[in-house]
Tab-separated table of all heavy atoms in Angstrom:
chain	number	residue	atom	x	y	z
A	293	VAL	N	-4.751	-2.292	2.881
A	293	VAL	CA	-4.767	-1.350	3.994
A	293	VAL	C	-5.524	-1.994	5.150
A	293	VAL	O	-6.195	-3.015	4.980
A	293	VAL	CB	-5.446	-0.015	3.604
A	293	VAL	CG1	-4.638	0.719	2.540
A	293	VAL	CG2	-6.880	-0.248	3.137
A	294	LEU	N	-5.426	-1.374	6.307
A	294	LEU	CA	-6.144	-1.891	7.462
A	294	LEU	C	-7.580	-1.359	7.407
A	294	LEU	O	-7.933	-0.393	8.089
A	294	LEU	CB	-5.458	-1.485	8.769
A	294	LEU	CG	-5.870	-2.285	10.010
A	294	LEU	CD1	-5.422	-3.742	9.883
A	294	LEU	CD2	-5.284	-1.662	11.266
A	295	SER	N	-8.380	-1.992	6.567
A	295	SER	CA	-9.784	-1.611	6.438
A	295	SER	C	-10.504	-1.900	7.746
A	295	SER	O	-9.952	-2.522	8.669
A	295	SER	CB	-10.435	-2.412	5.316
A	295	SER	OG	-10.527	-3.785	5.687
A	296	GLU	N	-11.757	-1.465	7.827
A	296	GLU	CA	-12.540	-1.712	9.038
A	296	GLU	C	-12.648	-3.205	9.323
A	296	GLU	O	-12.582	-3.640	10.480
A	296	GLU	CB	-13.938	-1.096	8.886
A	296	GLU	CG	-13.978	0.419	8.972
A	296	GLU	CD	-13.348	1.126	7.782
A	296	GLU	OE1	-13.290	0.517	6.689
A	296	GLU	OE2	-12.919	2.288	7.929
A	297	THR	N	-12.792	-4.026	8.279
A	297	THR	CA	-12.884	-5.469	8.484
A	297	THR	C	-11.525	-6.055	8.827
A	297	THR	O	-11.422	-6.937	9.696
A	297	THR	CB	-13.467	-6.143	7.230
A	297	THR	OG1	-14.684	-5.481	6.870
A	297	THR	CG2	-13.749	-7.603	7.482
A	298	ALA	N	-10.468	-5.590	8.171
A	298	ALA	CA	-9.125	-6.086	8.499
A	298	ALA	C	-8.764	-5.776	9.944
A	298	ALA	O	-8.108	-6.584	10.620
A	298	ALA	CB	-8.097	-5.469	7.548
A	299	ALA	N	-9.199	-4.627	10.449
A	299	ALA	CA	-8.895	-4.259	11.833
A	299	ALA	C	-9.530	-5.213	12.829
A	299	ALA	O	-9.079	-5.318	13.979
A	299	ALA	CB	-9.369	-2.836	12.104
A	300	ALA	N	-10.569	-5.946	12.405
A	300	ALA	CA	-11.237	-6.904	13.291
A	300	ALA	C	-10.702	-8.319	13.139
A	300	ALA	O	-11.180	-9.235	13.811
A	300	ALA	CB	-12.737	-6.899	12.996
A	301	ALA	N	-9.702	-8.528	12.268
A	301	ALA	CA	-9.259	-9.878	11.918
A	301	ALA	C	-8.251	-10.447	12.905
A	301	ALA	O	-7.500	-9.709	13.552
A	301	ALA	CB	-8.664	-9.869	10.509
A	302	ASP	N	-8.204	-11.784	12.965
A	302	ASP	CA	-7.168	-12.484	13.727
A	302	ASP	C	-5.866	-12.528	12.945
A	302	ASP	O	-4.785	-12.460	13.532
A	302	ASP	CB	-7.626	-13.914	14.030
A	302	ASP	CG	-8.933	-13.948	14.790
A	302	ASP	OD1	-8.945	-13.532	15.952
A	302	ASP	OD2	-9.947	-14.364	14.203
A	303	VAL	N	-5.980	-12.681	11.627
A	303	VAL	CA	-4.811	-12.718	10.754
A	303	VAL	C	-5.045	-11.740	9.611
A	303	VAL	O	-6.085	-11.796	8.952
A	303	VAL	CB	-4.555	-14.129	10.191
A	303	VAL	CG1	-3.340	-14.132	9.257
A	303	VAL	CG2	-4.366	-15.137	11.322
A	304	VAL	N	-4.082	-10.848	9.397
A	304	VAL	CA	-4.155	-9.894	8.294
A	304	VAL	C	-2.952	-10.143	7.390
A	304	VAL	O	-1.807	-10.166	7.857
A	304	VAL	CB	-4.138	-8.434	8.800
A	304	VAL	CG1	-4.243	-7.463	7.620
A	304	VAL	CG2	-5.274	-8.194	9.783
A	305	LEU	N	-3.225	-10.329	6.101
A	305	LEU	CA	-2.170	-10.631	5.136
A	305	LEU	C	-2.083	-9.499	4.124
A	305	LEU	O	-3.036	-9.251	3.379
A	305	LEU	CB	-2.458	-11.961	4.434
A	305	LEU	CG	-2.601	-13.163	5.371
A	305	LEU	CD1	-3.025	-14.407	4.593
A	305	LEU	CD2	-1.309	-13.420	6.136
A	306	PRO	N	-0.959	-8.764	4.081
A	306	PRO	CA	-0.828	-7.611	3.183
A	306	PRO	C	-0.554	-8.054	1.750
A	306	PRO	O	0.375	-8.820	1.490
A	306	PRO	CB	0.364	-6.854	3.767
A	306	PRO	CG	1.200	-7.894	4.428
A	306	PRO	CD	0.242	-8.942	4.935
A	307	THR	N	-1.375	-7.578	0.818
A	307	THR	CA	-1.297	-8.074	-0.549
A	307	THR	C	-1.006	-6.959	-1.545
A	307	THR	O	-1.132	-5.772	-1.244
A	307	THR	CB	-2.611	-8.767	-0.939
A	307	THR	OG1	-3.712	-7.883	-0.689
A	307	THR	CG2	-2.807	-10.038	-0.135
A	308	THR	N	-0.616	-7.388	-2.739
A	308	THR	CA	-0.355	-6.450	-3.821
A	308	THR	C	-1.666	-5.864	-4.336
A	308	THR	O	-2.738	-6.397	-4.104
A	308	THR	CB	0.363	-7.156	-4.986
A	308	THR	OG1	-0.366	-8.338	-5.337
A	308	THR	CG2	1.778	-7.533	-4.618
A	309	GLN	N	-1.557	-4.748	-5.041
A	309	GLN	CA	-2.730	-4.106	-5.605
A	309	GLN	C	-2.536	-3.868	-7.096
A	309	GLN	O	-1.510	-4.202	-7.678
A	309	GLN	CB	-3.025	-2.792	-4.878
A	309	GLN	CG	-1.890	-1.780	-4.934
A	309	GLN	CD	-2.312	-0.432	-4.363
A	309	GLN	OE1	-3.381	0.076	-4.680
A	309	GLN	NE2	-1.475	0.135	-3.500
A	310	TRP	N	-3.534	-3.270	-7.709
A	310	TRP	CA	-3.719	-3.165	-9.154
A	310	TRP	C	-2.448	-2.974	-9.964
A	310	TRP	O	-2.158	-3.754	-10.871
A	310	TRP	CB	-4.719	-2.046	-9.458
A	310	TRP	CG	-4.233	-0.669	-9.085
A	310	TRP	CD1	-4.046	-0.178	-7.826
A	310	TRP	CD2	-3.876	0.381	-9.976
A	310	TRP	NE1	-3.592	1.112	-7.866
A	310	TRP	CE2	-3.479	1.492	-9.177
A	310	TRP	CE3	-3.848	0.514	-11.359
A	310	TRP	CZ2	-3.072	2.704	-9.722
A	310	TRP	CZ3	-3.440	1.721	-11.915
A	310	TRP	CH2	-3.058	2.802	-11.100
A	311	ALA	N	-1.655	-1.942	-9.700
A	311	ALA	CA	-0.507	-1.629	-10.560
A	311	ALA	C	0.730	-2.437	-10.201
A	311	ALA	O	1.758	-2.307	-10.867
A	311	ALA	CB	-0.189	-0.138	-10.487
A	312	GLU	N	0.626	-3.266	-9.159
A	312	GLU	CA	1.771	-4.069	-8.714
A	312	GLU	C	1.656	-5.526	-9.159
A	312	GLU	O	2.481	-6.345	-8.763
A	312	GLU	CB	1.862	-4.016	-7.181
A	312	GLU	CG	2.064	-2.609	-6.644
A	312	GLU	CD	1.701	-2.481	-5.179
A	312	GLU	OE1	1.228	-3.471	-4.570
A	312	GLU	OE2	1.874	-1.375	-4.630
A	313	GLU	N	0.666	-5.831	-9.970
A	313	GLU	CA	0.427	-7.210	-10.374
A	313	GLU	C	-0.236	-7.229	-11.746
A	313	GLU	O	-0.829	-6.237	-12.176
A	313	GLU	CB	-0.474	-7.914	-9.355
A	313	GLU	CG	-1.814	-7.197	-9.164
A	313	GLU	CD	-2.632	-7.733	-8.005
A	313	GLU	OE1	-2.097	-8.460	-7.161
A	313	GLU	OE2	-3.834	-7.407	-7.954
A	314	THR	N	-0.126	-8.353	-12.406
A	314	THR	CA	-0.749	-8.524	-13.714
A	314	THR	C	-1.961	-9.441	-13.580
A	314	THR	O	-1.963	-10.372	-12.768
A	314	THR	CB	0.263	-9.117	-14.708
A	314	THR	OG1	1.275	-8.142	-14.968
A	314	THR	CG2	-0.393	-9.509	-16.022
A	315	GLY	N	-2.976	-9.173	-14.376
A	315	GLY	CA	-4.159	-10.021	-14.379
A	315	GLY	C	-5.184	-9.467	-15.338
A	315	GLY	O	-5.059	-8.340	-15.832
A	316	THR	N	-6.214	-10.249	-15.605
A	316	THR	CA	-7.258	-9.811	-16.527
A	316	THR	C	-8.479	-9.317	-15.767
A	316	THR	O	-8.788	-9.778	-14.675
A	316	THR	CB	-7.678	-10.943	-17.480
A	316	THR	OG1	-8.140	-12.062	-16.714
A	316	THR	CG2	-6.514	-11.364	-18.359
A	317	MET	N	-9.163	-8.361	-16.373
A	317	MET	CA	-10.418	-7.816	-15.867
A	317	MET	C	-11.413	-7.843	-17.022
A	317	MET	O	-11.035	-7.661	-18.183
A	317	MET	CB	-10.231	-6.376	-15.386
A	317	MET	CG	-9.109	-6.167	-14.385
A	317	MET	SD	-9.513	-6.757	-12.735
A	317	MET	CE	-10.572	-5.427	-12.152
A	318	THR	N	-12.665	-8.045	-16.717
A	318	THR	CA	-13.707	-8.026	-17.741
A	318	THR	C	-14.606	-6.825	-17.477
A	318	THR	O	-15.284	-6.775	-16.454
A	318	THR	CB	-14.523	-9.325	-17.724
A	318	THR	OG1	-13.629	-10.434	-17.843
A	318	THR	CG2	-15.506	-9.363	-18.872
A	319	ASN	N	-14.586	-5.864	-18.388
A	319	ASN	CA	-15.291	-4.619	-18.099
A	319	ASN	C	-16.786	-4.741	-18.348
A	319	ASN	O	-17.294	-5.825	-18.675
A	319	ASN	CB	-14.664	-3.449	-18.868
A	319	ASN	CG	-15.081	-3.395	-20.330
A	319	ASN	OD1	-15.671	-4.322	-20.870
A	319	ASN	ND2	-14.778	-2.288	-20.977
A	320	LEU	N	-17.498	-3.643	-18.197
A	320	LEU	CA	-18.958	-3.685	-18.261
A	320	LEU	C	-19.494	-4.128	-19.620
A	320	LEU	O	-20.654	-4.561	-19.723
A	320	LEU	CB	-19.540	-2.335	-17.857
A	320	LEU	CG	-19.579	-1.179	-18.859
A	320	LEU	CD1	-20.315	0.006	-18.245
A	320	LEU	CD2	-18.239	-0.739	-19.366
A	321	GLU	N	-18.682	-4.066	-20.670
A	321	GLU	CA	-19.102	-4.513	-21.996
A	321	GLU	C	-18.917	-6.012	-22.214
A	321	GLU	O	-19.309	-6.534	-23.257
A	321	GLU	CB	-18.281	-3.828	-23.084
A	321	GLU	CG	-18.173	-2.330	-23.023
A	321	GLU	CD	-17.033	-1.849	-23.898
A	321	GLU	OE1	-15.865	-2.003	-23.490
A	321	GLU	OE2	-17.300	-1.351	-24.999
A	322	GLY	N	-18.251	-6.704	-21.274
A	322	GLY	CA	-17.855	-8.087	-21.526
A	322	GLY	C	-16.561	-8.178	-22.301
A	322	GLY	O	-16.244	-9.218	-22.878
A	323	ARG	N	-15.778	-7.098	-22.282
A	323	ARG	CA	-14.491	-7.052	-22.973
A	323	ARG	C	-13.394	-7.434	-21.965
A	323	ARG	O	-13.227	-6.771	-20.932
A	323	ARG	CB	-14.234	-5.644	-23.510
A	323	ARG	CG	-13.045	-5.534	-24.455
A	323	ARG	CD	-12.682	-4.082	-24.736
A	323	ARG	NE	-13.765	-3.257	-25.228
A	323	ARG	CZ	-13.876	-2.840	-26.486
A	323	ARG	NH1	-12.974	-3.183	-27.384
A	323	ARG	NH2	-14.886	-2.054	-26.837
A	324	VAL	N	-12.670	-8.513	-22.240
A	324	VAL	CA	-11.610	-8.973	-21.339
A	324	VAL	C	-10.358	-8.147	-21.609
A	324	VAL	O	-9.867	-8.079	-22.743
A	324	VAL	CB	-11.327	-10.472	-21.532
A	324	VAL	CG1	-10.309	-10.952	-20.505
A	324	VAL	CG2	-12.616	-11.280	-21.413
A	325	LEU	N	-9.855	-7.503	-20.560
A	325	LEU	CA	-8.732	-6.568	-20.653
A	325	LEU	C	-7.551	-7.075	-19.844
A	325	LEU	O	-7.715	-7.911	-18.941
A	325	LEU	CB	-9.153	-5.198	-20.118
A	325	LEU	CG	-10.361	-4.541	-20.801
A	325	LEU	CD1	-10.873	-3.386	-19.955
A	325	LEU	CD2	-10.003	-4.068	-22.197
A	326	LEU	N	-6.378	-6.552	-20.139
A	326	LEU	CA	-5.166	-6.953	-19.420
A	326	LEU	C	-4.677	-5.792	-18.567
A	326	LEU	O	-4.286	-4.751	-19.078
A	326	LEU	CB	-4.069	-7.371	-20.405
A	326	LEU	CG	-2.799	-7.940	-19.770
A	326	LEU	CD1	-3.108	-9.231	-19.014
A	326	LEU	CD2	-1.744	-8.203	-20.847
A	327	ARG	N	-4.755	-5.983	-17.256
A	327	ARG	CA	-4.202	-5.006	-16.322
A	327	ARG	C	-2.758	-5.426	-16.027
A	327	ARG	O	-2.526	-6.460	-15.392
A	327	ARG	CB	-5.035	-4.964	-15.049
A	327	ARG	CG	-4.648	-3.847	-14.098
A	327	ARG	CD	-5.354	-3.998	-12.766
A	327	ARG	NE	-6.676	-3.410	-12.769
A	327	ARG	CZ	-7.494	-3.447	-11.724
A	327	ARG	NH1	-7.130	-4.067	-10.611
A	327	ARG	NH2	-8.688	-2.896	-11.781
A	328	ARG	N	-1.817	-4.638	-16.488
A	328	ARG	CA	-0.406	-5.017	-16.394
A	328	ARG	C	0.259	-4.471	-15.136
A	328	ARG	O	-0.063	-3.377	-14.674
A	328	ARG	CB	0.373	-4.482	-17.604
A	328	ARG	CG	-0.035	-5.049	-18.949
A	328	ARG	CD	0.731	-4.325	-20.051
A	328	ARG	NE	0.464	-4.867	-21.373
A	328	ARG	CZ	-0.531	-4.495	-22.156
A	328	ARG	NH1	-1.402	-3.591	-21.723
A	328	ARG	NH2	-0.669	-5.010	-23.354
A	329	ARG	N	1.222	-5.231	-14.657
A	329	ARG	CA	2.063	-4.733	-13.576
A	329	ARG	C	2.897	-3.578	-14.107
A	329	ARG	O	3.539	-3.683	-15.141
A	329	ARG	CB	2.974	-5.846	-13.062
A	329	ARG	CG	3.856	-5.373	-11.928
A	329	ARG	CD	4.732	-6.480	-11.373
A	329	ARG	NE	5.580	-5.954	-10.308
A	329	ARG	CZ	6.481	-6.666	-9.665
A	329	ARG	NH1	6.670	-7.931	-9.995
A	329	ARG	NH2	7.205	-6.124	-8.705
A	330	SER	N	2.880	-2.456	-13.387
A	330	SER	CA	3.580	-1.271	-13.856
A	330	SER	C	4.539	-0.674	-12.843
A	330	SER	O	5.352	0.180	-13.197
A	330	SER	CB	2.571	-0.209	-14.298
A	330	SER	OG	1.555	-0.044	-13.339
A	331	VAL	N	4.446	-1.084	-11.576
A	331	VAL	CA	5.414	-0.664	-10.560
A	331	VAL	C	5.734	-1.866	-9.682
A	331	VAL	O	4.984	-2.834	-9.622
A	331	VAL	CB	4.881	0.493	-9.679
A	331	VAL	CG1	4.517	1.702	-10.517
A	331	VAL	CG2	3.689	0.046	-8.843
A	332	ALA	N	6.850	-1.781	-9.002
A	332	ALA	CA	7.231	-2.853	-8.076
A	332	ALA	C	6.398	-2.758	-6.805
A	332	ALA	O	6.057	-1.665	-6.345
A	332	ALA	CB	8.706	-2.752	-7.747
A	333	ALA	N	6.072	-3.902	-6.251
A	333	ALA	CA	5.325	-3.932	-4.995
A	333	ALA	C	6.254	-3.610	-3.825
A	333	ALA	O	7.462	-3.860	-3.886
A	333	ALA	CB	4.713	-5.312	-4.796
A	334	PRO	N	5.728	-3.055	-2.750
A	334	PRO	CA	6.561	-2.807	-1.568
A	334	PRO	C	7.122	-4.111	-1.008
A	334	PRO	O	6.500	-5.177	-1.132
A	334	PRO	CB	5.590	-2.174	-0.570
A	334	PRO	CG	4.415	-1.746	-1.360
A	334	PRO	CD	4.338	-2.651	-2.538
A	335	SER	N	8.252	-4.019	-0.399
A	335	SER	CA	8.823	-5.187	0.269
A	335	SER	C	7.877	-5.660	1.367
A	335	SER	O	7.330	-4.856	2.118
A	335	SER	CB	10.182	-4.817	0.867
A	335	SER	OG	10.711	-5.891	1.599
A	336	GLY	N	7.639	-6.965	1.414
A	336	GLY	CA	6.818	-7.516	2.489
A	336	GLY	C	5.412	-7.896	2.093
A	336	GLY	O	4.699	-8.485	2.896
A	337	VAL	N	4.986	-7.557	0.869
A	337	VAL	CA	3.638	-7.932	0.457
A	337	VAL	C	3.704	-9.076	-0.544
A	337	VAL	O	4.715	-9.275	-1.218
A	337	VAL	CB	2.861	-6.742	-0.140
A	337	VAL	CG1	2.862	-5.565	0.806
A	337	VAL	CG2	3.417	-6.343	-1.485
A	338	ARG	N	2.622	-9.824	-0.631
A	338	ARG	CA	2.502	-10.915	-1.589
A	338	ARG	C	1.174	-10.799	-2.325
A	338	ARG	O	0.242	-10.164	-1.829
A	338	ARG	CB	2.589	-12.277	-0.888
A	338	ARG	CG	3.925	-12.550	-0.219
A	338	ARG	CD	3.989	-13.964	0.334
A	338	ARG	NE	5.243	-14.193	1.051
A	338	ARG	CZ	5.591	-15.350	1.619
A	338	ARG	NH1	4.762	-16.399	1.544
A	338	ARG	NH2	6.743	-15.472	2.259
A	339	SER	N	1.083	-11.435	-3.470
A	339	SER	CA	-0.166	-11.394	-4.229
A	339	SER	C	-1.197	-12.316	-3.587
A	339	SER	O	-0.862	-13.256	-2.861
A	339	SER	CB	0.077	-11.819	-5.675
A	339	SER	OG	0.346	-13.211	-5.734
């Protein structure tokens, strides 16, 4: 989104978010988890 910092940028690059991409997260226990892609990303964004 156009956050306060993005609004001040010379170049803004729109990226995918949590449910549109796959990757691992390590939770507060030190347990490595798999966050899976579950919906398609909007046209025009990249990871």
Side-chain angles (χ1 to χ4, degrees):
V293 295
L294 197 66
S295 68
E296 287 70 24
T297 308
D302 302 292
V303 179
V304 181
L305 302 174
T307 53
T308 51
Q309 59 172 314
W310 66 291
E312 299 161 357
E313 57 189 15
T314 292
T316 58
M317 307 285 282
T318 306
N319 79 348
L320 80 175
E321 309 164 285
R323 190 191 306 253
V324 185
L325 303 166
L326 186 63
R327 188 189 275 178
R328 296 175 176 87
R329 181 178 179 182
S330 47
V331 302
S335 176
V337 306
R338 296 186 184 181
S339 71

